[in-house]
C-alpha cells in the first residue's frame, strides 16, 4: 500500500513538473487539491488491471499537461470520472472548484457516455453530442482525447471483443479528430495502438521487420543528418536536422495503398529541417533539391496553402543517399510548434493561471464550424455519420476565387462544391463555370491552383444527378434539401388535386375543409405536423384520398361521397383542353401542373396509344399502357387520368418479338426493313427453336408513335418467312405480349 502511495506521489509530482515547464504561474495548490479530492472519491475503486483507479485520471491529467492546456483543463482531467463513477454530485464539484471546472467536468461526463458501437442511428446522435460539446468548449474534446489515449495504452486487461470495439471507434473517430486538431503525435499513437489490436498479426510482423533493420536504419539516419547539415551550412542556411522512424500504422497504410511488401518499403524514415524564417524554408528546399533528385508529384507547399487545421510545412520526397527515397519536411520553429501541439499551441495563459483560447487565427476552427452546421442540417443519421467520417480525413485541393481568395476542398470536389461553398443560392442557381478562363462542365473536378468563376441564372435549378458530382457535405445536403422541397411542392399540388377531384361530386374541396378546420383533429392520427404535409403524403402516394376522406368527412358527407364515387374515366377525345399541361413533358396529367412524369419500362407506351397514370411513391406519376397487366394490378385509388400532348413524338424504346422460319437471309431482310422505315435498332437477339425449324428474334427499336410502330410491324409481317410479329413488355421479370 505504501509503495502504491509513493508511486501516486511520484506521478503527481511529475504532473506538477510538466505544468510548471510551460505555465510557471499555474495554481499548483488547486491541482494538488483536485488530485486529493479524486483520490478520496476513487479510494475504493480499482481498474480491471488491479491498479488503483485514481492512476487513470492522474495519467489523463499528465497527457493533458503534455498538450499544454490550462489549469482548469488539468483539474478537469483529474476530476473527469468523479461524477460519472462515484456518488459525487456535480454541484459539489462546482462548490469546490468553481463554475468553469464544473462545466468542463459536465461536458466530459456527457461525452464519456458516448459509445460508437451501437446502431448507426444511435451512433450518429451520440456523435452529435460530442460536436455540441466541442462547440461549447474545445477543451472538452482535448481532454477526451487524452482520456482515450490512456485507455488505448491500457487495453490489455479487456477482452478481445472490447479491445477490437474500442480500437475501431478510436481509428474511425478519435484519431481523425486528433488529426484535424493538428495534434499529430497523439493521432499517430492512437492509430498505432488501434492497429495493434485490430490486426495483431500484421502489427507483429511489421514490428519484427522494423526491429530487424533497426541498426541499419539508425546508421542511415546518422549519415543523412550529417550530409544534410553539411550541405545546408554550405548553402548558408542555419538549421536543425532530425530524423525519425515512421509510425507502424502509417507504414502499413502505405503498403496496403500501394500493394507493397516489406522489402519494397524504403522510406521508413522522415527527415525534418527546422529553420528560423519562412525565407529560409525555401532556401533549405533549394539545397535539398540541388543535391538530390526530387520525386515528381511528391512536393507539397503547405506554407503558402496551409491545411484546414493551419498546419504549415514544405513536404518533398527525393532520391537520397544509397538510392533510397526519403521524405523531407521543412518548417520554421513556430510552424513546428503548431504541428506538434496543434490547436493547443494557440492557448494563452493569463496571470494567475486562468486559460483562454487564442482566437487570432479563427480559421483553425473552420472545420469545427462545418461539423456544427452539419449536425444541425443533416437529419438523416446515417448520412450525417458517413459525412463526418468522410470529411475528417480529406486529401485537400486549394483553388482561387476571381478575387484571389484561397478556398480548400476535399480531393474530388467539383464546380458544384465550389458554388455551394460561396452561397447556397449560388449553388441552387449554378448554370455554368469558367476554370482559368475556360468554360467547363459543372461536373468538372477542381485541381489545386485553379481559378474558378461561377455563372448563375435564376432559371437554373439543381438537377437530380448533381449530388453524384460533388463530395462536400454542404453541397450534398443543400441539393437534397432543394430536391426534397421541390418534391414536397409537387406532392402537395398533386395531393390537393386528387382530394379535390374526389370531393367534386359532393360539392366540396380542400379549401372548404381547411376553412372548417377539418385537418387539425386527424393530424396526430396520421403522424403529420400540419395539413400541407398530410396532403403532400397523399400526392406522394403514402396515403390514399379515400383513407384521408374517411377521417375528414362527416357521416352524411361520407355516405354521399361513397354513393357518388365512380372510377375516374379516361378523358374522351376532344376533352383534353380541360386538363392542365405539364411543361416540358409529352403527357398531360389531369388537373395538375408541373408534376414529375415517367414512363413505365414494363410496357413503354407510345404517343397515340391509350394510357393510364399511376401515382408512384416519391417519383410522381408513372404512365402505363391502358392494358398493361402491371397497371391493372395497381391500387385504383392511385390511378389518375393522363393523355398525350398534341405534337409530342420523341423516340422511345420498344421491344418487338418476331417468330419466323429459320432460314438464311431472313435476319438481313428484317433489319433492312426496319432501317428502311427510318427506325434505329438498339439491340437484336436471335435464337433458334430446336428441331422445329423456327427462330425467335427479339429487337429493341426506337419509334416515335403508335402509328410508326404499327406500320413497322406490318412491314416486318409482310416479309416471306415471318410468322408472327408482336410487341412485348415485362411484368415482374416475365414477358407478356402488349
Amino acid at each position: 500500500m505504501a509503495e502504491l502511495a509513493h508511486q501516486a506521489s511520484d506521478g503527481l509530482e511529475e504532473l506538477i513538473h510538466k505544468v510548471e515547464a510551460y505555465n510557471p504561474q499555474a495554481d499548483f495548490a488547486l491541482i494538488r487539491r483536485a488530485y486529493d479530492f479524486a483520490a478520496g472519491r476513487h479510494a475504493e475503486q480499482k481498474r480491471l488491471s488491479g491498479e488503483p483507479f485514481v492512476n487513470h485520471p492522474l495519467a489523463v491529467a499528465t497527457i493533458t499537461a503534455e498538450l499544454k492546456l490550462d489549469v482548469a483543463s488539468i483539474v478537469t482531467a483529474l476530476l473527469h470520472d468523479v461524477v460519472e463513477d462515484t456518488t459525487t454530485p456535480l454541484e459539489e464539484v462546482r462548490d469546490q472548484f468553481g463554475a468553469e471546472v464544473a462545466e468542463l467536468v459536465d461536458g466530459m461526463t456527457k461525452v464519456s457516455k458516448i459509445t460508437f458501437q451501437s446502431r448507426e442511428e444511435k451512433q450518429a446522435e451520440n456523435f452529435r453530442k460530442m460536436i455540441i460539446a466541442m462547440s461549447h468548449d474545445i477543451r472538452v474534446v482535448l481532454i477526451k482525447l487524452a482520456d482515450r489515449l490512456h485507455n488505448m495504452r491500457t487495453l490489455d486487461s479487456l477482452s478481445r471483443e472490447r479491445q477490437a470495439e474500442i480500437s475501431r471507434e478510436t481509428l474511425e473517430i478519435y484519431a481523425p479528430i486528433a488529426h484535424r486538431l493538428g495534434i499529430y503525435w497523439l493521432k499517430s499513437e492512437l492509430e498505432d495502438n488501434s492497429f495493434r489490436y485490430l490486426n495483431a498479426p500484421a502489427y507483429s510482423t511489421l514490428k519484427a521487420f522494423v526491429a530487424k533493420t533497426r541498426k541499419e536504419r539508425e546508421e542511415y539516419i546518422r549519415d543523412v543528418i550529417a550530409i544534410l547539415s553539411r550541405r545546408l551550412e554550405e548553402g548558408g542556411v542555419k538549421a536543425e536536422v532530425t530524423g525519425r522512424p515512421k509510425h507502424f500504422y502509417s507504414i502499413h497504410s502505405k503498403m496496403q495503398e500501394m500493394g507493397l511488401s516489406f522489402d519494397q518499403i524504403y522510406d521508413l524514415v522522415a527527415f525534418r529541417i527546422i529553420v528560423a524564417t519562412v525565407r529560409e524554408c525555401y532556401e533549405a528546399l533549394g539545397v535539398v533539391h540541388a543535391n538530390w533528385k526530387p520525386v515528381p508529384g511528391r512536393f507539397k507547399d503547405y506554407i503558402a496553402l496551409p491545411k484546414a487545421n493551419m498546419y504549415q510545412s514544405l513536404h518533398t520526397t527525393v532520391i537520397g543517399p544509397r538510392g533510397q527515397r526519403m521524405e523531407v519536411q521543412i518548417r520554421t520553429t513556430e510552424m513546428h510548434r503548431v504541428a506538434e501541439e496543434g490547436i493547443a499551441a494557440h492557448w494563452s495563459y493569463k496571470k494567475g493561471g486562468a486559460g483562454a483560447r487564442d482566437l487570432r487565427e479563427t480559421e483553425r476552427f473552420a472545420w469545427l464550424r462545418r461539423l456544427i452546421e452539419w449536425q444541425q442540417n443533416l437529419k438523416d443519421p446515417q448520412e450525417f455519420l458517413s459525412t463526418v467520417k468522410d470529411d475528417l480525413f480529406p486529401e485537400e485541393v486549394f483553388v482561387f476565387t476571381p478575387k484571389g481568395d484561397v478556398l480548400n476542398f476535399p480531393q474530388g470536389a467539383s464546380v458544384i462544391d465550389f458554388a455551394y461553398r460561396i452561397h447556397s443560392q449560388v449553388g441552387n442557381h449554378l448554370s455554368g463555370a469558367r476554370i482559368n478562363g475556360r468554360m467547363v462542365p459543372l461536373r468538372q473536378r477542381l485541381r489545386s491552383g485553379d481559378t474558378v468563376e461561377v455563372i448563375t441564372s435564376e432559371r437554373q435549378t439543381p438537377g437530380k444527378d448533381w449530388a453524384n458530382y460533388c463530395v462536400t457535405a454542404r453541397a450534398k445536403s443543400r441539393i437534397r434539401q432543394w430536391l426534397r422541397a421541390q418534391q414536397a411542392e409537387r406532392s402537395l399540388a398533386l395531393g390537393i388535386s386528387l382530394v379535390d377531384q374526389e370531393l367534386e361530386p359532393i360539392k366540396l374541396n380542400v379549401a372548404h375543409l381547411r376553412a372548417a378546420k377539418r385537418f387539425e383533429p386527424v393530424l396526430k392520427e396520421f403522424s403529420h405536423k400540419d395539413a400541407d404535409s398530410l396532403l403532400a403524403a397523399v400526392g406522394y402516394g403514402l396515403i390514399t384520398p379515400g383513407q384521408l376522406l374517411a377521417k375528414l368527412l362527416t357521416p352524411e358527407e361520407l355516405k354521399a361521397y361513397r354513393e357518388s364515387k365512380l372510377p375516374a374515366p379516361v378523358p374522351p377525345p376532344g376533352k383534353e383542353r380541360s386538363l392542365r399541361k405539364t411543361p416540358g413533358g409529352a403527357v398531360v396529367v389531369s388537373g395538375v401542373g408541373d408534376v414529375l412524369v415517367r414512363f413505365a419500362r414494363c410496357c413503354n407506351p407510345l404517343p397515340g396509344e391509350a394510357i393510364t397514370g399511376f401515382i408512384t411513391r416519391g417519383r410522381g406519376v408513372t404512365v402505363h399502357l391502358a392494358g398493361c397487366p402491371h397497371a391493372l394490378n395497381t391500387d385504383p385509388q392511385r390511378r389518375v387520368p393522363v393523355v398525350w400532348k398534341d405534337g409530342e413524338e420523341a423516340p422511345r424504346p420498344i421491344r418487338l418479338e418476331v417468330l419466323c422460319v429459320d432460314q438464311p437471309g431472313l435476319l438481313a431482310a428484317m433489319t433492312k426493313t426496319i432501317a428502311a422505315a427510318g427506325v434505329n435498332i438498339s439491340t437484336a437477339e436471335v435464337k433458334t427453336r430446336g428441331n422445329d425449324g423456327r427462330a425467335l428474334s427479339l429487337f429493341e427499336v426506337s419509334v416515335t408513335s403508335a402509328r410508326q410502330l404499327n406500320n413497322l410491324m406490318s412491314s416486318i409481317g409482310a416479309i416471306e418467312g415471318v410468322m408472327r410479329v408482336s410487341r412485348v413488355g415485362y411484368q415482374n421479370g416475365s414477358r407478356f405480349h402488349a
Side-chain angles (χ1 to χ4, degrees):
M1 185 70 72
E3 183 181 350
L4 291 174
H6 181 70
Q7 290 175 355
S9 176
D10 288 347
L12 178 59
E13 292 308 314
E14 179 189 355
L15 170 63
I16 296 293
H17 179 71
K18 285 183 180 291
V19 175
E20 188 177 17
Y22 67 88
N23 187 9
Q25 289 80 38
D27 187 346
F28 299 110
L30 182 64
I31 295 174
R32 293 180 188 277
R33 187 155 59 86
Y35 172 76
D36 291 339
F37 186 89
R41 298 307 162 99
H42 293 299
E44 302 301 320
Q45 297 177 328
K46 293 187 181 299
R47 305 193 81 204
L48 290 178
S49 62
E51 65 176 335
F53 189 91
V54 74
N55 287 4
H56 170 64
L58 180 59
V60 173
T62 302
I63 297 171
T64 305
E66 291 171 9
L67 291 171
K68 299 182 179 178
L69 297 191
D70 58 350
V71 170
S73 301
I74 305 297
V75 171
T76 299
L78 289 167
L79 303 175
H80 77 273
D81 280 330
V82 296
V83 173
E84 183 179 359
D85 293 337
T86 75
T87 57
T88 306
L90 185 63
E91 284 307 312
E92 186 174 353
V93 174
R94 191 184 309 276
D95 293 340
Q96 293 279 342
F97 299 98
E100 182 181 13
V101 169
E103 290 300 315
L104 290 172
V105 170
D106 187 41
M108 277 295 294
T109 302
K110 291 174 181 175
V111 171
S112 294
K113 292 179 181 177
I114 296 175
T115 58
F116 289 95
Q117 295 307 308
S118 55
R119 293 181 301 108
E120 286 283 303
E121 291 81 0
K122 186 176 179 182
Q123 184 177 352
E125 291 309 311
N126 285 333
F127 197 66
R128 288 182 198 273
K129 295 175 186 176
M130 174 175 280
I131 290 170
I132 292 170
M134 291 167 70
S135 69
H136 290 161
D137 198 321
I138 195 73
R139 288 176 293 179
V140 170
V141 176
L142 292 171
I143 302 167
K144 180 59 185 176
L145 287 173
D147 179 39
R148 177 49 59 108
L149 179 58
H150 186 250
N151 284 334
M152 292 303 298
R153 288 174 177 175
T154 56
L155 273 188
D156 287 338
S157 303
L158 302 184
S159 66
R160 286 189 178 181
E161 291 77 12
R162 284 294 292 153
Q163 288 173 348
E165 288 174 5
I166 294 172
S167 297
R168 190 171 296 108
E169 70 181 30
T170 298
L171 197 59
E172 291 185 358
I173 301 293
Y174 290 101
I177 288 176
H179 171 82
R180 292 309 297 264
L181 290 173
I183 313 170
Y184 290 106
W185 68 268
L186 197 153
K187 165 235 178 192
S188 298
E189 188 172 345
L190 289 175
E191 287 178 338
D192 280 357
N193 278 312
S194 300
F195 175 39
R196 172 187 169 193
Y197 291 105
L198 288 173
N199 196 341
Y203 179 87
S204 300
T205 304
L206 182 56
K207 185 177 180 180
F209 172 79
V210 171
K212 182 180 178 181
T213 59
R214 178 179 176 183
K215 184 176 180 181
E216 179 184 347
R217 191 169 61 256
E218 288 177 348
E219 180 185 346
Y220 181 77
I221 290 174
R222 285 195 299 271
D223 290 347
V224 171
I225 288 176
I227 296 171
L228 265 175
S229 299
R230 186 170 63 253
R231 299 287 168 81
L232 288 167
E233 186 178 353
E234 291 170 356
V237 180
K238 187 177 180 180
E240 174 190 351
V241 183
T242 59
R244 61 170 180 82
K246 289 189 174 180
H247 296 279
F248 290 155
Y249 182 73
S250 173
I251 297 170
H252 176 72
S253 297
K254 184 171 185 179
M255 291 171 60
Q256 295 293 108
E257 180 183 345
M258 303 181 68
L260 301 175
S261 65
F262 292 117
D263 295 334
Q264 294 173 302
I265 294 288
Y266 294 111
D267 51 343
L268 296 175
V269 180
F271 294 92
R272 188 170 292 143
I273 300 173
I274 310 294
V275 295
T277 65
V278 172
R279 180 177 59 82
E280 288 176 319
C281 288
Y282 291 97
E283 290 176 354
L285 177 68
V287 171
V288 172
H289 283 183
N291 285 277
W292 295 289
K293 186 176 181 180
V295 177
R298 294 302 303 268
F299 169 67
K300 292 184 179 178
D301 187 345
Y302 293 121
I303 293 179
L305 297 170
K307 289 187 177 183
N309 54 21
M310 298 306 290
Y311 169 89
Q312 289 183 290
S313 189
L314 297 178
H315 288 198
T316 187
T317 301
V318 297
I319 307 299
R322 306 181 193 175
Q324 293 189 13
R325 287 190 177 197
M326 66 180 193
E327 181 184 323
V328 182
Q329 300 173 356
I330 307 169
R331 59 180 72 144
T332 66
T333 305
E334 174 62 18
M335 292 174 192
H336 182 60
R337 187 172 72 89
V338 171
E340 290 297 298
E341 301 173 15
I343 208 167
H346 292 263
W347 222 269
S348 60
Y349 300 91
K350 297 178 181 178
K351 189 174 181 180
R357 272 178 291 179
D358 182 356
L359 298 178
R360 288 173 298 174
E361 297 186 59
T362 55
E363 299 88 10
R364 295 180 184 277
F365 296 90
W367 71 277
L368 176 56
R369 288 196 298 273
R370 289 202 299 273
L371 285 179
I372 296 166
E373 181 183 337
W374 296 339
Q375 72 90 16
Q376 292 170 345
N377 292 329
L378 296 179
K379 301 306 180 186
D380 183 295
Q382 293 186 4
E383 177 187 349
F384 167 75
L385 196 62
S386 172
T387 297
V388 170
K389 285 181 180 179
D390 289 346
D391 198 80
L392 276 174
F393 237 153
E395 287 293 328
E396 292 171 317
V397 296
F398 298 87
V399 300
F400 296 91
T401 68
K403 294 182 179 180
D405 296 327
V406 179
L407 300 178
N408 63 303
F409 292 89
Q411 195 80 7
S414 69
V415 167
I416 299 172
D417 292 297
F418 181 93
Y420 278 101
R421 178 74 171 273
I422 301 301
H423 195 278
S424 297
Q425 289 304 310
V426 173
N428 285 341
H429 298 294
L430 174 67
S431 62
R434 295 186 184 90
I435 291 184
N436 305 324
R438 182 174 59 86
M439 290 296 297
V440 295
L442 301 185
R443 63 178 181 273
Q444 179 71 36
R445 302 298 181 190
L446 305 177
R447 295 182 299 178
S448 287
D450 284 344
T451 298
V452 185
E453 178 186 357
V454 296
I455 302 167
T456 61
S457 169
E458 286 299 317
R459 292 179 294 178
Q460 179 67 47
T461 56
K464 288 186 176 181
D465 60 339
W466 279 23
N468 299 330
Y469 300 119
C470 55
V471 298
T472 59
R474 180 186 180 88
K476 287 183 177 180
S477 67
R478 294 296 188 271
I479 292 168
R480 290 182 184 125
Q481 284 176 13
W482 192 92
L483 292 174
R484 280 195 291 264
Q486 295 305 304
Q487 181 63 46
E489 289 179 13
R490 291 192 183 102
S491 297
L492 175 60
L494 182 56
I496 292 173
S497 172
L498 292 172
V499 175
D500 279 348
Q501 185 175 300
E502 294 290 300
L503 291 172
E504 187 176 359
I506 60 173
K507 310 301 181 185
L508 287 176
N509 58 36
V510 169
H512 291 133
L513 298 181
R514 284 186 190 272
K517 298 189 181 300
R518 298 279 190 91
F519 289 97
E520 285 71 9
V522 302
L523 291 176
K524 188 174 182 180
E525 187 172 349
F526 285 103
S527 300
H528 283 275
K529 62 181 180 180
D530 54 35
D532 281 354
S533 66
L534 183 56
L535 288 164
V538 175
Y540 199 69
L542 298 175
I543 302 170
T544 66
Q547 289 172 325
L548 180 60
L549 294 179
K551 303 293 183 181
L552 294 178
L553 299 180
T554 65
E556 295 77 14
E557 291 168 344
L558 189 59
K559 181 181 179 182
Y561 161 69
R562 286 172 174 166
E563 289 176 351
S564 64
K565 187 177 182 307
L566 294 172
V570 176
K575 297 295 184 180
E576 293 90 341
R577 294 180 184 176
S578 64
L579 305 174
R580 294 186 208 162
K581 291 187 176 181
T582 304
V587 168
V588 182
V589 181
S590 175
V592 183
D594 192 24
V595 64
L596 181 65
V597 174
R598 56 195 292 272
F599 294 98
R601 294 183 179 179
C602 56
C603 54
N604 286 316
L606 288 170
E609 295 180 312
I611 52 177
T612 186
F614 174 71
I615 301 172
T616 308
R617 293 181 178 178
R619 292 185 288 179
V621 174
T622 302
V623 178
H624 293 262
L625 281 173
C628 173
H630 191 78
L632 294 175
N633 291 335
T634 58
D635 181 357
Q637 291 204 40
R638 288 167 64 185
R639 294 181 200 163
V640 290
V642 290
V643 293
W644 295 102
K645 286 168 64 175
D646 293 336
E648 293 286 347
E649 293 189 347
R652 295 194 50 73
I654 295 296
R655 289 180 286 267
L656 292 178
E657 186 179 87
V658 182
L659 181 65
C660 61
V661 177
D662 183 12
Q663 65 182 34
L666 196 53
L667 177 61
M670 288 189 289
T671 56
K672 184 177 180 181
T673 299
I674 295 172
V679 175
N680 183 53
I681 302 175
S682 302
T683 61
E685 182 182 355
V686 180
K687 293 182 180 179
T688 58
R689 296 183 39 158
N691 299 322
D692 65 356
R694 298 180 183 183
L696 193 66
S697 300
L698 186 65
F699 297 97
E700 184 174 293
V701 297
S702 297
V703 295
T704 58
S705 66
R707 183 181 62 257
Q708 186 183 30
L709 175 63
N710 291 333
N711 291 338
L712 175 63
M713 293 173 67
S714 297
S715 298
I716 296 174
I719 299 173
E720 185 176 351
V722 172
M723 305 169 67
R724 186 187 74 230
V725 183
S726 58
R727 176 180 174 187
V728 294
Y730 289 88
Q731 182 187 16
N732 299 326
S734 301
R735 184 183 301 178
F736 68 86
H737 292 271

